[in-house]
Amino acid sequence: MNDMKEKILVTGGTGYIGSHTVVELQNAGYEVVIIDNLSNSSRKVLDGIKNITGIMPAFVEGDCTDLKTLSTLFENHKGIKGIINFAASKAVGESVEKPLLYYRNNLVTLINLLELMPQYDVKGIVFSSSCTVYGEPDVNPIDETAPIKVATSPYGNTKQICEEIITDFIASGANIKSILLRYFNPIGAHPSAEIGELPNGIPNNLVPYITQTAAGIRKELTVFGNDYNTPDGTCIRDFIDVVDLARAHVVAMKRMLDNSDSDALEVFNLGTGNGLSVLQLIEAFEKASGVKVPYRIGERRAGDIEQIWANPKKANEILGWKAVVPIEETMSNAWKWQCRCAGN
Ligand code: NAD
Ligand code: UFG
């Protein structure tokens, strides 16, 4: 479709969102180099990417907190024009128990990348941020001008600090561009069922818990609270299909590299613009899969936001990107992926 063959470094590229983004980048004609330390993913993901796109991306097994590993990567893969930085630790609960691990991994990774960018003439970096920076919103849907609230976990704080580090670095006159993408709740899997989310142990997140319960791996799902101030009493989120989310990274990269008029630093919400409650999501899953999910109502989970969904207008208008996958299709893909994993 196009003849761009610019080289992009994807850190954390064998992870959940990273792997889907590598697929979309390769489909769009970019050449991808992945670095991942496999702390939360597996080498097998590379085969999934190859099965979908026909291309095996270059892969470096290494840790982004090691500056030497990264500079060797830039030496061995000359001409990298852009970076998408997914590499991070992401479990909220674990971050409360092991804050230093989270600060070290998430901050040092970013600092190393920024430090090397000017040296290797890398033009732009896309950073994986999160709607967690908004805390409990005063109004929904929430747009990018909403205030950043005090973080409720070390993980959330790393996202805020990373956004500030990038902002300060660009303000200092560094000749780079950056786009901060604030994801809402990414869910689902590639429709081919070649790649998807691979939670370690008992899932913390809702969708893997739903699919594992439907598959009989977990006895029942606990819905954390139905006494919230929402129409059905359960929490509301903006669930966004992972392939839609992945596509946004390609558009963001293209904007940084090809549009000389775009600002050096931009921030976008990535969501659908629709809030769905926990019960509505279970219902969507049951409709899509034809499988009932046994669940019970339990206590509220400490630290949960009551309701948050995105105003994605800025991304819609400026990036020309929009989430398009219907929720039933997302849930059906999540189920296909679950069935495929169970069959492995
Ligand atoms: P993931 O754990 O599946 O992917 C992260 C990848 O980075 C993993 O493959 C892991 O092995 C790798 N990694 C971690 N530390 C590394 C290091 N020091 N060096 C090299 N590789 C390293 O997570 P994901 O869900 O794909 O999330 C990707 C990014 O998006 C993360 O930055 C996460 O914080 C952010 N994010 C995720 C969500 C979500 O709900 N999944 C929401 C908002 C933001
Ligand atoms: N939930 C249940 N039962 C479960 C799991 C979750 O009822 O077994 C509920 C939660 O209480 C919450 C909703 O489902 O109301 C969504 O929970 P998730 O854990 O799937 O997602 P969160 O919105 O809590 O958090 C996720 C990521 C964070 C990230 C945040 C915003 O886990 O890392 O989205 O991007 F910061």
Side-chain angles (χ1 to χ4, degrees):
M1 240 170 86
N2 59 49
D3 47 34
M4 282 181 305
K5 268 286 176 191
E6 281 165 312
K7 215 182 271 183
I8 308 298
L9 173 63
V10 180
T11 76
T14 47
Y16 174 44
I17 306 168
S19 57
H20 290 81
T21 301
V22 171
V23 165
E24 298 306 316
L25 283 168
Q26 293 191 157
N27 283 343
Y30 288 97
E31 185 182 335
V32 175
V33 179
I34 295 175
I35 179 167
D36 202 297
N37 64 3
L38 304 179
S39 58
N40 198 35
S41 57
S42 126
R43 212 175 251 280
K44 273 198 275 181
V45 173
L46 297 168
D47 297 325
I49 293 170
K50 164 129 197 296
N51 290 343
I52 299 168
T53 62
I55 302 164
M56 181 60 94
F59 178 67
V60 174
E61 182 177 347
D63 198 308
C64 299
T65 60
D66 185 42
L67 190 65
K68 184 90 194 356
T69 300
L70 282 179
S71 48
T72 306
L73 184 154
F74 283 110
E75 290 295 337
N76 291 343
H77 297 271
K78 285 267 161 45
I80 289 172
K81 288 279 168 281
I83 300 174
I84 307 184
N85 181 29
F86 293 105
S89 306
K90 65 159 184 177
V92 175
E94 187 188 44
S95 80
V96 176
E97 281 150 31
K98 302 175 182 163
L100 297 188
L101 187 150
Y102 274 67
Y103 286 113
R104 185 189 303 278
N105 201 36
N106 298 3
L107 304 191
V108 175
T109 288
L110 176 68
I111 292 168
N112 283 346
L113 292 168
L114 293 177
E115 199 160 314
L116 293 174
M117 283 177 74
Q119 218 169 304
Y120 289 96
D121 199 24
V122 184
K123 310 271 181 227
I125 182 165
V126 175
F127 179 72
S128 298
S129 190
S130 165
C131 68
T132 191
V133 301
Y134 298 122
E136 182 81 57
D138 303 320
V139 282
N140 278 300
I142 191 159
D143 70 27
E144 295 82 352
T145 62
I148 303 298
K149 300 260 175 84
V150 175
T152 54
S153 70
Y155 167 74
N157 207 20
T158 67
K159 292 298 170 194
Q160 297 193 3
I161 297 171
C162 283
E163 288 198 358
E164 288 169 356
I165 290 174
I166 294 173
T167 306
D168 290 346
F169 189 50
I170 288 177
S172 77
N175 188 23
I176 64 158
K177 282 185 171 182
S178 183
I179 292 187
L180 314 177
L181 297 178
R182 293 181 181 151
Y183 311 156
F184 282 66
N185 286 58
I187 60 167
H190 196 269
S192 64
E194 289 284 348
I195 52 174
E197 192 171 7
L198 272 176
N200 248 336
I202 301 174
N204 290 310
N205 297 115
L206 182 58
V207 170
Y209 213 106
I210 289 177
T211 59
Q212 289 194 9
T213 306
I217 299 167
R218 314 271 156 217
K219 203 166 119 276
E220 66 179 2
L221 168 75
T222 304
V223 172
F224 297 137
N226 69 347
D227 57 351
Y228 285 99
N229 186 24
T230 60
D232 67 20
T234 65
C235 292
I236 296 177
R237 295 288 184 274
D238 188 334
F239 297 99
I240 171 158
D241 189 274
V242 67
V243 175
D244 274 336
L245 189 74
R247 283 192 304 105
H249 294 76
V250 179
V251 185
M253 183 55 74
K254 190 167 165 32
R255 180 171 171 83
M256 282 192 309
L257 299 186
D258 299 353
N259 184 339
S260 52
D261 294 335
S262 72
D263 289 346
L265 180 65
E266 293 182 303
V267 51
F268 297 100
N269 280 347
L270 295 182
T272 65
N274 295 315
L276 278 187
S277 74
V278 173
L279 291 182
Q280 284 175 316
L281 194 73
I282 296 173
E283 205 178 295
F285 173 81
E286 291 180 338
K287 202 165 141 210
S289 67
V291 182
K292 279 266 165 220
V293 182
Y295 72 85
R296 68 177 187 90
I297 307 294
E299 295 293 306
R300 289 182 177 199
R301 181 171 72 178
D304 268 345
I305 302 285
E306 180 174 273
Q307 45 189 320
I308 183 164
W309 67 96
N311 179 344
K313 200 162 168 248
K314 190 176 171 197
N316 296 164
E317 288 176 358
I318 295 180
L319 293 179
W321 166 92
K322 202 172 183 320
V324 293
V325 182
I327 189 70
E328 279 79 18
E329 214 169 297
T330 301
M331 295 315 265
S332 153
N333 290 334
W335 182 230
K336 260 201 280 180
W337 168 246
Q338 177 66 55
C339 295
R340 163 114 193 229
C341 292
N344 266 343

